[in-house]
Amino acid sequence: MTQVRNKQVILKDYVSGFPKESDMNIVDSTITLKLPQGSNELLLKNLYLSCDPYMRILMTKDTTAGLGAYTPGSPLTGYGVSKVMESGHQDYKKGDLVWGMTKWEEYSLVPATGMRKIEHTDVPLSHYTGILALIGLTAYAGFFEVGTPKKGDNVFVSAAAGAVGQLVGQFAKLTGCYVVGSAGTKEKVDLLKNKFGYDEAFNYKEEHDLNAALKRYFQEGIDIYFENVGGKTLDAVLPNMRVHGRILVCGMISQYNLIQPEGITNLAHIIYKRIQMQGFIAPDYYHFYTKFLEFILPLIREGKIVYVEDIAKGLENGPKALVGLFSGHNVGKQVVFVAHE
């Protein structure tokens, strides 16, 4: 039996406030590269890991998200791209490439349920942590299925240079919408306008009055707001919505680290404007995945969709990359490269 070193990222203890690199430990354990007798699980070599804001929620002891909190002393879990070393499941064989829920370590033993085989390898493998996985499905299902956009709609996207935001803006442009995004640095604002095709973009940190900024860009109001940040931005958006506008609530990254979340004062506009506000999560739309791939793959191959990744090299740099999400360090989708095939 081959025992090999298995580097892991372990959560030390539950987190309150902003996560720090020191909340996680890099440890060396060992793993036997052999499936236990009679196991129907998969033994994986992890290649890429996805850093996602929801992971912060799982570091809280009493998570309200119903997503299942992490266990201190155990490796983080998250979406990743892996190679099957050994399979106890009939649908997978040794050498298959898969994406799905794995652990933050070099090798993982995981259930086969929820794993998806990677059929298309003419696009970068790292894309299966994002645009071709949950991130892409989130942007697609949220914008098209929940948002029901039509040509000419005015669309606002917050955290627009992030993993989901960069795609929503491009989907909106493909639909014939007018699109404005907000981000937190000049570099990201330039990216939105010059690379992702946003009509306009602004740095929210430079705006003293977000309400006035939105009035400047949306003189006739907002039809669709794709919500990624919550807090002050949501409060400023509400009075700027159009009658029968839609707010698609994907995330609230500005709130995840606050012990006391910020209040929203402008909620009455939901009544005045008959606003529809709906939260959604990608797993509810797994049944759209094949349809989504048929939509997105040709766009990637033809260069009609641009997708930016921020790749940190090495599992030991995982904690820094994950924590960096909450101070806007990443440009585009944050990925951790673990190993080559």
Side-chain angles (χ1 to χ4, degrees), residues 88-122:
H89 194 284
Q90 61 193 28
D91 293 350
Y92 302 92
K93 61 182 193 304
K94 184 178 178 175
D96 280 349
L97 292 165
V98 295
W99 73 266
M101 192 56 77
T102 186
K103 298 174 190 168
W104 277 43
E105 54 191 3
E106 291 174 287
Y107 298 95
S108 294
L109 188 62
V110 300
T113 49
M115 278 292 163
R116 285 185 180 268
K117 205 182 288 190
I118 293 173
E119 311 281 1
H120 305 277
T121 52
D122 61 326

Short mmCIF file of all heavy atoms in Angstrom, two decimals, residues 88-122:
data_model
loop_
_atom_site.label_atom_id
_atom_site.label_comp_id
_atom_site.label_asym_id
_atom_site.label_seq_id
_atom_site.Cartn_x
_atom_site.Cartn_y
_atom_site.Cartn_z
N GLY A 88 -14.55 3.65 -7.10
CA GLY A 88 -15.39 2.56 -6.64
C GLY A 88 -16.79 2.70 -7.20
O GLY A 88 -17.72 2.02 -6.78
N HIS A 89 -16.96 3.62 -8.16
CA HIS A 89 -18.28 3.93 -8.72
C HIS A 89 -18.27 3.64 -10.21
O HIS A 89 -17.36 4.05 -10.92
CB HIS A 89 -18.62 5.40 -8.45
CG HIS A 89 -20.06 5.74 -8.69
ND1 HIS A 89 -20.58 5.89 -9.94
CD2 HIS A 89 -21.08 5.95 -7.81
CE1 HIS A 89 -21.87 6.18 -9.84
NE2 HIS A 89 -22.20 6.22 -8.56
N GLN A 90 -19.33 2.99 -10.68
CA GLN A 90 -19.37 2.54 -12.08
C GLN A 90 -19.31 3.67 -13.10
O GLN A 90 -18.89 3.45 -14.25
CB GLN A 90 -20.64 1.71 -12.32
CG GLN A 90 -21.92 2.52 -12.06
CD GLN A 90 -23.17 1.66 -11.97
OE1 GLN A 90 -23.08 0.49 -11.60
NE2 GLN A 90 -24.31 2.23 -12.31
N ASP A 91 -19.73 4.88 -12.72
CA ASP A 91 -19.76 5.98 -13.69
C ASP A 91 -18.40 6.63 -13.92
O ASP A 91 -18.26 7.47 -14.81
CB ASP A 91 -20.75 7.07 -13.22
CG ASP A 91 -22.18 6.58 -13.24
OD1 ASP A 91 -22.42 5.47 -13.78
OD2 ASP A 91 -23.06 7.28 -12.69
N TYR A 92 -17.41 6.28 -13.09
CA TYR A 92 -16.10 6.93 -13.20
C TYR A 92 -15.01 5.87 -13.29
O TYR A 92 -15.11 4.81 -12.68
CB TYR A 92 -15.84 7.83 -11.99
CG TYR A 92 -16.90 8.90 -11.83
CD1 TYR A 92 -18.02 8.68 -11.02
CD2 TYR A 92 -16.80 10.11 -12.51
CE1 TYR A 92 -19.01 9.64 -10.89
CE2 TYR A 92 -17.79 11.07 -12.38
CZ TYR A 92 -18.89 10.84 -11.58
OH TYR A 92 -19.87 11.79 -11.46
N LYS A 93 -13.96 6.22 -14.03
CA LYS A 93 -12.82 5.29 -14.10
C LYS A 93 -11.53 6.06 -13.84
O LYS A 93 -11.50 7.30 -13.90
CB LYS A 93 -12.78 4.58 -15.45
CG LYS A 93 -12.61 5.50 -16.66
CD LYS A 93 -12.63 4.70 -17.95
CE LYS A 93 -12.17 5.54 -19.13
NZ LYS A 93 -12.91 6.79 -19.34
N LYS A 94 -10.48 5.31 -13.54
CA LYS A 94 -9.16 5.91 -13.29
C LYS A 94 -8.78 6.80 -14.47
O LYS A 94 -8.95 6.42 -15.62
CB LYS A 94 -8.13 4.80 -13.10
CG LYS A 94 -6.76 5.31 -12.74
CD LYS A 94 -5.76 4.20 -12.49
CE LYS A 94 -4.40 4.82 -12.18
NZ LYS A 94 -3.41 3.82 -11.82
N GLY A 95 -8.28 8.00 -14.17
CA GLY A 95 -7.86 8.92 -15.23
C GLY A 95 -8.91 9.94 -15.65
O GLY A 95 -8.60 10.91 -16.31
N ASP A 96 -10.17 9.72 -15.24
CA ASP A 96 -11.22 10.69 -15.56
C ASP A 96 -10.94 12.03 -14.88
O ASP A 96 -10.45 12.06 -13.75
CB ASP A 96 -12.60 10.21 -15.08
CG ASP A 96 -13.24 9.19 -16.01
OD1 ASP A 96 -12.72 9.02 -17.13
OD2 ASP A 96 -14.25 8.58 -15.62
N LEU A 97 -11.27 13.10 -15.57
CA LEU A 97 -11.22 14.44 -14.96
C LEU A 97 -12.63 14.80 -14.52
O LEU A 97 -13.59 14.56 -15.27
CB LEU A 97 -10.70 15.46 -15.97
CG LEU A 97 -9.23 15.29 -16.35
CD1 LEU A 97 -8.88 16.08 -17.60
CD2 LEU A 97 -8.31 15.70 -15.20
N VAL A 98 -12.75 15.34 -13.31
CA VAL A 98 -14.07 15.66 -12.76
C VAL A 98 -14.05 17.03 -12.09
O VAL A 98 -12.99 17.55 -11.74
CB VAL A 98 -14.51 14.60 -11.71
CG1 VAL A 98 -14.71 13.23 -12.35
CG2 VAL A 98 -13.51 14.50 -10.55
N TRP A 99 -15.24 17.61 -11.92
CA TRP A 99 -15.36 18.80 -11.07
C TRP A 99 -16.52 18.57 -10.09
O TRP A 99 -17.46 17.85 -10.38
CB TRP A 99 -15.55 20.09 -11.87
CG TRP A 99 -16.88 20.31 -12.51
CD1 TRP A 99 -17.24 19.99 -13.79
CD2 TRP A 99 -18.05 20.94 -11.93
NE1 TRP A 99 -18.54 20.36 -14.04
CE2 TRP A 99 -19.06 20.95 -12.93
CE3 TRP A 99 -18.33 21.50 -10.68
CZ2 TRP A 99 -20.33 21.49 -12.70
CZ3 TRP A 99 -19.59 22.03 -10.45
CH2 TRP A 99 -20.57 22.02 -11.47
N GLY A 100 -16.38 19.17 -8.92
CA GLY A 100 -17.41 19.03 -7.89
C GLY A 100 -16.84 19.33 -6.53
O GLY A 100 -15.77 19.94 -6.41
N MET A 101 -17.53 18.89 -5.49
CA MET A 101 -17.15 19.22 -4.12
C MET A 101 -16.02 18.30 -3.65
O MET A 101 -16.16 17.09 -3.65
CB MET A 101 -18.38 19.05 -3.23
CG MET A 101 -18.23 19.60 -1.84
SD MET A 101 -17.80 21.35 -1.74
CE MET A 101 -19.36 22.15 -2.09
N THR A 102 -14.89 18.92 -3.31
CA THR A 102 -13.74 18.16 -2.82
C THR A 102 -13.21 18.85 -1.57
O THR A 102 -13.86 19.72 -1.00
CB THR A 102 -12.67 18.01 -3.92
OG1 THR A 102 -11.63 17.15 -3.45
CG2 THR A 102 -12.09 19.34 -4.37
N LYS A 103 -12.03 18.43 -1.12
CA LYS A 103 -11.45 19.03 0.10
C LYS A 103 -10.18 19.79 -0.26
O LYS A 103 -9.56 19.53 -1.28
CB LYS A 103 -11.14 17.93 1.12
CG LYS A 103 -12.37 17.18 1.59
CD LYS A 103 -11.99 16.01 2.48
CE LYS A 103 -13.21 15.12 2.74
NZ LYS A 103 -12.82 13.84 3.35
N TRP A 104 -9.81 20.72 0.62
CA TRP A 104 -8.60 21.52 0.40
C TRP A 104 -7.38 20.71 0.86
O TRP A 104 -6.86 20.90 1.95
CB TRP A 104 -8.71 22.85 1.13
CG TRP A 104 -9.47 23.87 0.32
CD1 TRP A 104 -10.62 23.68 -0.38
CD2 TRP A 104 -9.12 25.25 0.12
NE1 TRP A 104 -11.02 24.84 -0.99
CE2 TRP A 104 -10.12 25.82 -0.71
CE3 TRP A 104 -8.07 26.05 0.56
CZ2 TRP A 104 -10.09 27.16 -1.10
CZ3 TRP A 104 -8.04 27.39 0.18
CH2 TRP A 104 -9.03 27.93 -0.65
N GLU A 105 -6.96 19.81 -0.02
CA GLU A 105 -5.81 18.94 0.25
C GLU A 105 -5.33 18.40 -1.10
O GLU A 105 -5.98 18.62 -2.13
CB GLU A 105 -6.21 17.80 1.20
CG GLU A 105 -7.41 17.00 0.72
CD GLU A 105 -7.99 16.04 1.75
OE1 GLU A 105 -7.50 16.00 2.89
OE2 GLU A 105 -8.94 15.31 1.39
N GLU A 106 -4.19 17.72 -1.08
CA GLU A 106 -3.64 17.23 -2.35
C GLU A 106 -4.42 16.04 -2.88
O GLU A 106 -4.68 15.94 -4.08
CB GLU A 106 -2.16 16.88 -2.16
CG GLU A 106 -1.29 18.12 -1.95
CD GLU A 106 0.15 17.78 -1.63
OE1 GLU A 106 0.42 17.33 -0.50
OE2 GLU A 106 1.01 17.96 -2.52
N TYR A 107 -4.81 15.12 -1.99
CA TYR A 107 -5.58 13.94 -2.38
C TYR A 107 -6.82 13.85 -1.50
O TYR A 107 -6.74 14.10 -0.30
CB TYR A 107 -4.76 12.66 -2.21
CG TYR A 107 -3.51 12.62 -3.06
CD1 TYR A 107 -2.28 13.03 -2.54
CD2 TYR A 107 -3.56 12.16 -4.38
CE1 TYR A 107 -1.13 13.00 -3.32
CE2 TYR A 107 -2.42 12.13 -5.17
CZ TYR A 107 -1.21 12.55 -4.64
OH TYR A 107 -0.08 12.54 -5.42
N SER A 108 -7.94 13.47 -2.08
CA SER A 108 -9.19 13.39 -1.31
C SER A 108 -9.95 12.12 -1.63
O SER A 108 -9.95 11.66 -2.77
CB SER A 108 -10.11 14.57 -1.65
OG SER A 108 -9.55 15.80 -1.22
N LEU A 109 -10.60 11.60 -0.60
CA LEU A 109 -11.53 10.49 -0.76
C LEU A 109 -12.93 11.10 -0.61
O LEU A 109 -13.26 11.62 0.46
CB LEU A 109 -11.26 9.45 0.33
CG LEU A 109 -12.00 8.11 0.22
CD1 LEU A 109 -11.62 7.36 -1.05
CD2 LEU A 109 -11.69 7.24 1.44
N VAL A 110 -13.71 11.11 -1.69
CA VAL A 110 -15.01 11.80 -1.65
C VAL A 110 -16.12 10.92 -2.25
O VAL A 110 -15.84 10.05 -3.08
CB VAL A 110 -14.97 13.15 -2.41
CG1 VAL A 110 -13.94 14.09 -1.82
CG2 VAL A 110 -14.73 12.95 -3.89
N PRO A 111 -17.38 11.19 -1.89
CA PRO A 111 -18.49 10.48 -2.53
C PRO A 111 -18.58 10.86 -4.01
O PRO A 111 -18.25 12.00 -4.38
CB PRO A 111 -19.73 10.99 -1.78
CG PRO A 111 -19.22 11.70 -0.57
CD PRO A 111 -17.83 12.15 -0.88
N ALA A 112 -19.02 9.93 -4.83
CA ALA A 112 -19.13 10.21 -6.27
C ALA A 112 -20.33 11.10 -6.58
O ALA A 112 -20.36 11.79 -7.60
CB ALA A 112 -19.25 8.90 -7.04
N THR A 113 -21.32 11.12 -5.66
CA THR A 113 -22.51 11.95 -5.91
C THR A 113 -22.10 13.41 -5.96
O THR A 113 -21.31 13.86 -5.14
CB THR A 113 -23.55 11.77 -4.79
OG1 THR A 113 -22.87 11.92 -3.54
CG2 THR A 113 -24.21 10.41 -4.84
N GLY A 114 -22.66 14.13 -6.89
CA GLY A 114 -22.33 15.55 -6.99
C GLY A 114 -21.09 15.84 -7.81
O GLY A 114 -20.76 16.99 -8.07
N MET A 115 -20.37 14.78 -8.22
CA MET A 115 -19.23 14.99 -9.11
C MET A 115 -19.72 14.97 -10.56
O MET A 115 -20.65 14.24 -10.89
CB MET A 115 -18.19 13.86 -8.93
CG MET A 115 -17.28 14.08 -7.76
SD MET A 115 -16.17 15.47 -8.05
CE MET A 115 -15.61 15.79 -6.39
N ARG A 116 -19.07 15.76 -11.40
CA ARG A 116 -19.42 15.75 -12.82
C ARG A 116 -18.17 15.48 -13.64
O ARG A 116 -17.12 16.06 -13.39
CB ARG A 116 -20.01 17.11 -13.24
CG ARG A 116 -21.43 17.28 -12.77
CD ARG A 116 -22.01 18.58 -13.30
NE ARG A 116 -23.38 18.73 -12.84
CZ ARG A 116 -24.44 18.32 -13.52
NH1 ARG A 116 -24.29 17.74 -14.69
NH2 ARG A 116 -25.66 18.51 -13.05
N LYS A 117 -18.33 14.62 -14.61
CA LYS A 117 -17.20 14.28 -15.48
C LYS A 117 -16.97 15.44 -16.45
O LYS A 117 -17.91 16.05 -16.96
CB LYS A 117 -17.52 13.00 -16.26
CG LYS A 117 -16.28 12.24 -16.70
CD LYS A 117 -16.64 11.01 -17.51
CE LYS A 117 -17.23 9.92 -16.64
NZ LYS A 117 -17.35 8.64 -17.40
N ILE A 118 -15.70 15.77 -16.68
CA ILE A 118 -15.35 16.83 -17.62
C ILE A 118 -15.20 16.22 -19.01
O ILE A 118 -14.31 15.40 -19.25
CB ILE A 118 -14.05 17.54 -17.16
CG1 ILE A 118 -14.32 18.30 -15.85
CG2 ILE A 118 -13.53 18.48 -18.25
CD1 ILE A 118 -13.09 18.91 -15.20
N GLU A 119 -16.12 16.59 -19.90
CA GLU A 119 -16.12 16.01 -21.26
C GLU A 119 -15.34 16.88 -22.24
O GLU A 119 -14.79 16.38 -23.22
CB GLU A 119 -17.57 15.87 -21.78
CG GLU A 119 -18.54 15.20 -20.81
CD GLU A 119 -18.43 13.69 -20.77
OE1 GLU A 119 -17.57 13.13 -21.50
OE2 GLU A 119 -19.20 13.07 -20.01
N HIS A 120 -15.34 18.19 -22.00
CA HIS A 120 -14.74 19.12 -22.98
C HIS A 120 -13.41 19.62 -22.43
O HIS A 120 -13.37 20.41 -21.50
CB HIS A 120 -15.68 20.30 -23.23
CG HIS A 120 -17.05 19.87 -23.66
ND1 HIS A 120 -17.36 19.56 -24.97
CD2 HIS A 120 -18.19 19.67 -22.95
CE1 HIS A 120 -18.63 19.19 -25.04
NE2 HIS A 120 -19.15 19.26 -23.82
N THR A 121 -12.31 19.17 -23.03
CA THR A 121 -10.98 19.55 -22.52
C THR A 121 -10.24 20.47 -23.48
O THR A 121 -9.04 20.66 -23.36
CB THR A 121 -10.14 18.29 -22.23
OG1 THR A 121 -10.15 17.47 -23.40
CG2 THR A 121 -10.70 17.50 -21.06
N ASP A 122 -10.98 21.04 -24.45
CA ASP A 122 -10.35 22.01 -25.37
C ASP A 122 -10.35 23.42 -24.78
O ASP A 122 -9.90 24.36 -25.40
CB ASP A 122 -11.07 22.01 -26.73
CG ASP A 122 -12.54 22.42 -26.61
OD1 ASP A 122 -13.15 22.10 -25.58
OD2 ASP A 122 -13.07 23.05 -27.54
#
